[in-house]
Amino acid sequence: MTTRTIDLSVTIEDNMPAHKLFQRPVLTTHLSHESSKALGLGIEGDPMTFQTNFIAMLDHVGTHVDAFRHVSPTGASVDEMPLDMFFGKAICLDLRHIPDLGDITVADMEAAEAKSGVAVDRHIVLLCTGFHARHYPSLDAVWKNPLLTVEATRWLYERGSMMHGVEGPSTDKPTDDRFAQHRLCRELGISHWEWLVNLDALLGKREVQFFGVPLKFKGGSGSPVRAFALVDD
């Protein structure tokens, strides 16, 4: 048996699509190998040149995790949350039949759970809808993601799942400003990753090990993550 690493993160790029309420990121070269020559570092015949980049972005752009602070003024910030919330045993549910702006229901979750062959039991649950592959990097990726219903969210919570992950910029539809799913997560004390990619590579793999660990931003409402899974073949 061999173990493979599956990258589940979107590449962070200058001006990449972001949630409808959020500014797109800015990435540009700060010092290049060419411009750093003027600093005169290194030794004669072997100059030490280098590159540094300037990055300006919100903590909810690209593949990221929501801290409790994101939806609650009294919630824990990302640096205060237990580190072990951000990795662990996971299953990926096949929900590729869910259309753009569709609803992921309890019936959908139960059918996908049965198909996976693994009962949700305190797992991180990843929801593969095929949404990213259909739309990214067009602006449809911002305006057409499906909704994880409050009933389906409570279904996860009742099975001990404290963290889940979705494709696209949000667990709530962009056409609905009530943010019912986020408000329920606030009530239940659970959270999620957004804008995961390549989840189809996890389908049929039963249980995997998932990692989506945030940067330790003081007071952070969330954080970009390098999400990945370890899969046994």
Side-chain angles (χ1 to χ4, degrees):
M1 181 178 293
T2 59
T3 300
R4 289 187 298 128
T5 302
I6 306 296
D7 189 354
L8 306 175
S9 303
V10 67
T11 300
I12 299 175
E13 301 178 80
D14 182 61
N15 202 38
M16 68 188 289
H19 188 275
K20 64 177 184 177
L21 300 177
F22 298 156
Q23 179 180 332
R24 296 184 181 198
V26 175
L27 279 76
T28 189
T29 302
H30 169 240
L31 284 174
S32 67
H33 284 277
E34 291 73 22
S35 63
S36 64
K37 287 179 182 179
L39 298 174
L41 305 177
I43 62 175
E44 185 176 354
D46 186 16
M48 174 55 66
T49 66
F50 59 88
Q51 178 175 329
T52 54
N53 293 338
F54 175 81
I55 304 171
M57 60 186 291
L58 301 181
D59 48 6
H60 292 268
V61 171
T63 305
H64 66 275
V65 68
D66 286 3
F68 296 140
R69 177 71 55 84
H70 181 48
V71 291
S72 172
T74 59
S77 56
V78 74
D79 57 306
E80 297 170 335
M81 294 172 66
L83 191 59
D84 59 9
M85 286 193 70
F86 304 111
F87 62 91
K89 64 178 184 178
I91 62 172
C92 187
L93 300 184
D94 188 352
L95 298 162
R96 289 176 293 178
H97 64 285
I98 302 295
D100 294 349
L101 297 175
D103 292 352
I104 300 172
T105 68
V106 170
D108 294 315
M109 300 290 274
E110 290 177 339
E113 179 192 41
K115 183 178 180 181
S116 77
V118 180
V120 177
D121 180 12
R122 299 184 297 277
H123 290 84
I124 293 167
V125 177
L126 311 175
L127 308 180
C128 178
T129 58
F131 177 78
H132 183 84
R134 287 198 302 273
H135 294 301
Y136 196 84
S138 79
L139 287 182
D140 282 349
V142 174
W143 289 104
K144 292 187 176 181
N145 64 276
L147 161 74
L148 179 61
T149 63
V150 294
E151 295 83 7
T153 304
R154 195 174 294 278
W155 182 90
L156 288 170
Y157 177 77
E158 290 170 350
R159 285 151 183 79
S161 178
M162 303 302 289
M163 298 289 289
H164 49 278
V166 300
E167 300 176 55
S170 181
T171 54
D172 282 292
K173 288 182 187 179
T175 53
D176 187 345
D177 287 340
R178 293 174 296 176
F179 287 90
Q181 203 276 344
H182 278 75
R183 288 189 291 109
L184 180 61
C185 285
R186 178 182 62 190
E187 174 188 324
L188 298 177
I190 66 177
S191 194
H192 46 249
W193 292 269
E194 294 165 327
W195 229 312
L196 295 170
V197 302
N198 299 330
L199 292 179
D200 57 309
L202 306 183
L203 296 176
K205 299 300 182 182
R206 297 179 63 84
E207 190 174 280
V208 303
Q209 291 296 312
F210 174 84
F211 301 82
V213 179
L215 298 173
K216 199 173 182 179
F217 288 123
K218 184 175 179 60
S221 69
S223 172
V225 303
R226 184 65 182 267
F228 64 93
L230 302 181
V231 175
D232 291 329
D233 290 327

